[in-house]
């Protein structure tokens, strides 16, 4: 069986185990995938190791809604590191979007929030700095 990183994480979580064997084409044990291995894959995918600013939004579930938000961020000088989406616990007709970005002038963050509020609702904003972590709950 071939499992993706996400499927492997789901198996570990479901069965409350910390690792699974990796078997080669001929049934031989070639390694073990642990939760630590999964974290080493997932952390870079989310961009959390790069600090930056993290927006959690509720947007309309329609074509182009995420692009509109990204265009606003890019116009403000931001560069997107990661985009994660989920329908989990989102009201019907909406989508949860988690954006991590950098390159935003923090003096313009308030104005950027106001512009994005015209297109989406915020759950929270986390501003990761080198020695500081500011959380703005909405």
């Amino acid at each position: 069986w071939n499992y993706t990183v996400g499927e492997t994480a789901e198996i570990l979580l479901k069965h409350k185990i910390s690792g699974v064997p990796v078997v080669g084409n001929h049934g031989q044990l070639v390694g073990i995938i642990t939760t630590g291995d999964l974290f080493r894959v997932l952390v870079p995918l989310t961009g959390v190791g790069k600090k930056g600013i993290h927006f959690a939004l509720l947007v309309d579930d329609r074509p182009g809604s995420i692009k509109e938000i990204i265009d606003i961020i890019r116009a403000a000088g931001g560069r997107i590191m990661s985009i994660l989406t989920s329908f989990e616990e989102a009201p019907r007709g909406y989508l949860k979007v988690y954006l991590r970005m950098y390159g935003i002038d923090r003096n313009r963050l308030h104005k950027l929030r106001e512009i994005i509020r015209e297109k989406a609702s915020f759950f929270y904003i986390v501003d990761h700095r080198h020695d500081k972590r500011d959380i703005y709950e909405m």
Side-chain angles (χ1 to χ4, degrees):
W1 295 59
N2 292 318
Y3 291 100
T4 65
V5 170
E7 290 168 333
T8 303
E10 182 179 36
I11 289 167
L12 295 178
L13 184 63
K14 178 181 177 184
H15 296 288
K16 298 178 181 161
I17 55 178
S18 61
V20 292
V22 177
V23 180
N25 291 334
H26 304 290
Q28 76 280 16
L29 179 67
V30 296
I32 296 173
I33 294 178
T34 66
T35 53
D37 296 323
L38 295 176
F39 289 147
R40 279 187 285 284
V41 171
L42 294 174
V43 166
L45 287 176
T46 65
V48 72
K50 300 278 188 194
K51 305 295 181 197
I53 298 172
H54 180 190
F55 286 173
L57 304 163
L58 186 66
V59 302
D60 292 332
D61 180 22
R62 62 173 172 74
S65 62
I66 297 172
K67 182 184 181 306
E68 291 172 2
I69 304 298
I70 291 171
D71 288 346
I72 292 168
I73 292 167
R74 285 187 177 143
R79 184 160 183 206
I80 304 295
M81 284 188 277
S82 69
I83 304 169
L84 301 172
T85 64
S86 175
F87 288 111
E88 194 78 26
E89 298 181 18
R92 186 170 178 81
Y94 292 91
L95 175 67
K96 288 184 177 182
V97 179
Y98 303 89
L99 301 169
R100 190 171 301 274
M101 69 209 78
Y102 62 95
I104 299 290
D105 178 351
R106 286 176 167 87
N107 295 322
R108 298 175 60 197
L109 186 57
H110 178 74
K111 179 67 175 168
L112 179 62
R113 286 192 326 231
E114 294 306 313
I115 294 168
I116 291 175
R117 274 196 183 118
E118 296 173 12
K119 304 279 184 188
S121 300
F122 281 92
F123 288 116
Y124 59 84
I125 297 172
V126 179
D127 183 356
H128 297 270
R129 300 173 191 224
H130 293 290
D131 297 324
K132 189 174 181 181
R133 183 174 184 258
D134 296 325
I135 300 174
Y136 308 92
E137 295 188 30
M138 302 294 153

